Amino acid sequence: MIRLPKLLLWLGVATGIAAGGYRLGAGAWPNTVALHALMGNQKPGNAVVKSASASSAVPADRRILYWKHPDGKPEFSPTAFKSAEGRDYVPVYEDQEASLPGEKKAELPKAAGGPKKIRFYRNPMGLADTSQEPKKDWMGMDYIPVYEGEEPDDGSTVKVSIDRVQRAGVRTEAAEIRRISRPVRVPGVAQIDERRQEIVTLRADGFIEKLYAGVTGQHVKAGEPLFRVYSPKIVSAQVDYRTAAGAASLGSKDDQSKAIAGASQRLRNLGVSESRIKELAAKTEVSMSLDWPSPIDGIVFEKKIIQGQMVKEGEVLYRIADLSVIWVIADVPERDLALVKEGQPATVTFRTYPDEPRTGKVGFILHELDMKTRTAKVRIEVANPDYRIRHEMFADVAIDTGGEDADRVAVPTSAVIDSGVRQVVLVERGEGLFEPRQVKLGMRGDGYVEIKEGVKAGEKVVTTANFLIDAESNLKAALKGFAPDAKTAPAVTPEVEAAKASKTGLAQGVKQ
């Protein structure tokens, strides 16, 4: 509310008139009426109150300039207001202001194109019943006028008022081509890469004189000694090698090469390393015991010997595994198995290190399902250079099954109304019109679903509050079903009435 002394109000109003009128907010600053009142030409508020008292049935297109104190006091407000006694201020309309000499009253804008002509009146409940005159239905509801230029309802669209659309929070989003990524999330377990395991055994009986790798879990390097062994058969093979080398020196070079090659091959057959054979060729004495080297870098997973033990030919002494690359065996449900393919990327998060996800690839899909869980074993290869991933660690696996295919028209999953038998989306056609369309769905993922048929890229679909429009559509269809000839009865238009009248007159003339 604005309270001003009389003089200041007169000066402010005069200044506003000189500037062409000064408007405040949704209303306007009082100009001519207040000026006349202050100048004594009329009593303050008389004309206003009189006009306001008669404005209970004013047309909707009249514009309110400002609000005035109900007792005519020089107190005004640009918006609706209440006095100190709790009484509502009186609205002052633009056509209620008194004009100054020479001032032209502003005319209200007329609707573009003039008033529209009413074509007919339709049933308020959507039934196939029209009338050329205003009337009420059996429940006392007024028939709704249909004006010229309005789009006829062909039954394929649903019309909802813009006000209801806004109040219901209806939102739309354009269908677009995107890459849909649907990760298959499954549990997994870390396992040893079967291709990176070695067992250590002797091909001849022997005695373990000393252990270098004496505990399970020890990390060993390739070529590093595991144990020292004495084997009579290996000693005999070394003696044969030295004998062959000495005898070959007396014969031809060809005989020398054949003798040494035969003795070397016998040592290889017994599992003696190449490095030891080269040492034997450079020395003249024979070693009675040998240091047995590790075949690979890795972890000792099994140790089955102790120092001083006599071992038999072929007996497993060690099992060593290289853990620089591991397998994660994921259990994929049968329903998702068709989406998983070899080579797809996967993200593996071990529960021990939840903040350190690792990437890998699907290496293989086993050819059998677990009969109890109905899951398939999917093998994912993950690098483990720091050896932090232990055998049998649990992991959460997310397999990206989207691939590189980006040519998919997709809409948000919330846009689809799924009845179980058919899937429908509501396409916006503007001005409160929505068209229900049956669609064929494809891949789902990341909150989007692929539309194979029914919607094109760029068309806007309803994503929120679509249940409201769907209910409107179902109600419309149900009400039409109450009319016996709802599908075949034509709308009653002036042209139809004229044709009926002409036909009736012609029949009467023939009858006469």
Side-chain angles (χ1 to χ4, degrees):
M1 184 182 69
I2 303 172
R3 299 178 180 271
L4 293 176
K6 185 173 183 180
L7 179 59
L8 293 179
L9 179 61
W10 184 89
L11 292 175
V13 173
T15 306
I17 295 175
Y22 182 71
R23 302 291 186 232
L24 290 177
W29 188 266
N31 44 31
T32 56
V33 174
L35 183 59
H36 281 287
L38 294 175
M39 295 175 65
N41 294 339
Q42 63 181 54
K43 294 183 179 180
N46 288 352
V48 175
V49 174
K50 181 179 179 181
S51 300
S53 62
S55 61
S56 58
V58 295
D61 56 356
R62 297 180 67 189
R63 185 172 57 174
I64 298 175
L65 295 181
Y66 56 93
W67 276 259
K68 182 178 177 61
H69 195 282
D71 294 334
K73 296 180 181 180
E75 298 176 3
F76 310 94
S77 173
T79 58
F81 198 73
K82 289 182 179 293
S83 65
E85 298 82 12
R87 300 170 61 193
D88 292 329
Y89 270 44
V90 180
V92 178
Y93 294 89
E94 188 173 29
D95 58 351
Q96 292 178 330
E97 286 191 353
S99 301
L100 291 175
E103 180 185 7
K104 294 184 179 180
K105 186 177 291 292
E107 296 183 359
L108 295 176
K110 296 182 179 179
K116 292 184 179 180
K117 182 180 179 182
I118 298 177
R119 293 180 56 197
F120 57 92
Y121 297 82
R122 64 178 178 87
N123 189 285
M125 296 300 292
L127 299 178
D129 182 19
T130 60
S131 173
Q132 294 301 314
E133 301 294 336
K135 71 174 187 177
K136 299 180 181 292
D137 65 357
W138 63 277
M139 293 186 296
M141 298 176 63
D142 292 327
Y143 272 48
I144 301 173
V146 178
Y147 297 91
E148 287 185 348
E150 290 188 350
E151 184 176 356
D153 184 6
D154 57 1
S156 63
T157 59
V158 181
K159 185 173 181 62
V160 182
S161 67
I162 301 298
D163 179 61
R164 291 184 63 190
V165 168
Q166 293 176 348
R167 284 188 286 109
V170 176
R171 298 290 182 270
T172 61
E173 184 174 329
E176 59 182 354
I177 297 177
R178 64 169 57 240
R179 178 181 180 270
I180 298 179
S181 174
R182 180 192 173 184
V184 175
R185 302 184 186 277
V186 292
V189 180
Q191 298 286 347
I192 300 173
D193 188 339
E194 297 175 357
R195 300 166 299 185
R196 296 174 179 268
Q197 295 186 79
E198 292 276 353
I199 61 170
V200 179
T201 185
L202 292 179
R203 299 178 182 180
D205 296 346
F207 298 86
I208 306 301
E209 295 182 348
K210 186 176 182 180
L211 286 179
Y212 299 107
V215 293
T216 302
Q218 183 175 338
H219 187 198
V220 296
K221 296 183 178 180
E224 185 176 275
L226 299 174
F227 57 87
R228 178 173 290 178
V229 61
Y230 162 71
S231 173
K233 187 178 283 189
I234 294 177
V235 172
S236 176
Q238 291 182 82
V239 172
D240 292 343
Y241 181 87
R242 292 301 311 157
T243 302
S249 61
L250 302 175
S252 63
K253 290 184 178 181
D254 187 40
D255 295 337
Q256 181 183 4
S257 299
K258 289 181 179 179
I260 294 176
S264 300
Q265 187 59 45
R266 185 182 176 190
L267 289 171
R268 293 190 187 96
N269 292 342
L270 292 173
V272 179
S273 63
E274 290 292 334
S275 60
R276 177 56 188 164
I277 295 175
K278 290 179 180 179
E279 289 178 4
L280 188 61
K283 297 179 180 179
T284 56
E285 66 277 4
V286 175
S287 298
M288 299 304 293
S289 58
L290 299 175
D291 287 340
W292 208 263
S294 172
I296 59 172
D297 290 349
I299 304 296
V300 176
F301 270 82
E302 289 186 43
K303 183 189 78 72
K304 297 187 176 181
I305 59 173
I306 58 177
Q307 190 166 304
Q309 178 181 346
M310 188 267 182
V311 294
K312 294 291 185 179
E313 177 182 339
E315 185 178 350
V316 176
L317 308 180
Y318 289 93
R319 184 167 70 92
I320 303 174
D322 179 9
L323 299 182
S324 60
V325 176
I326 63 169
W327 286 349
V328 175
I329 306 302
D331 295 323
V332 177
E334 186 176 2
R335 66 177 180 274
D336 295 329
L337 191 57
L339 301 174
V340 180
K341 297 178 178 58
E342 293 184 12
Q344 289 176 338
T347 302
V348 181
T349 305
F350 292 93
R351 297 176 185 178
T352 306
Y353 310 110
D355 298 330
E356 302 178 17
R358 302 182 182 229
T359 58
K361 286 188 177 182
V362 176
F364 190 73
I365 304 172
L366 274 67
H367 298 285
E368 60 182 354
L369 297 180
D370 189 319
M371 291 298 295
K372 295 181 180 179
T373 61
R374 304 306 302 169
T375 57
K377 303 293 184 182
V378 175
R379 195 165 66 205
I380 301 169
E381 299 179 8
V382 179
N384 183 34
D386 51 5
Y387 282 55
R388 296 178 66 196
I389 307 304
R390 264 71 172 181
H391 184 52
E392 298 291 349
M393 269 189 175
F394 285 113
D396 296 316
V397 180
I399 304 174
D400 185 359
T401 60
E404 300 298 330
D405 184 8
D407 296 327
R408 301 178 189 271
V409 178
V411 299
T413 53
S414 60
V416 180
I417 303 172
D418 194 344
S419 66
V421 178
R422 67 188 190 119
Q423 294 77 39
V424 175
V425 299
L426 299 170
V427 181
E428 183 188 31
R429 295 181 57 182
E431 299 297 331
L433 288 176
F434 301 91
E435 178 185 355
R437 288 192 197 170
Q438 187 170 349
V439 294
K440 183 177 180 181
L441 306 182
M443 179 180 290
R444 296 173 181 262
D446 293 338
Y448 287 85
V449 59
E450 176 189 2
I451 303 295
K452 292 185 175 180
E453 295 179 6
V455 176
K456 298 180 181 179
E459 291 185 307
K460 289 187 176 181
V461 298
V462 180
T463 59
T464 58
N466 46 8
F467 67 90
L468 166 68
I469 306 172
D470 182 53
E472 192 92 6
S473 174
N474 294 334
L475 176 62
K476 176 180 176 181
L479 291 173
K480 284 188 176 181
F482 285 109
D485 298 326
K487 295 183 179 180
T488 58
V492 180
T493 62
E495 291 78 8
V496 174
E497 290 290 345
K500 286 183 178 180
S502 176
K503 185 177 180 180
T504 302
L506 179 62
Q508 291 177 353
V510 172
K511 184 176 180 180
Q512 292 176 355

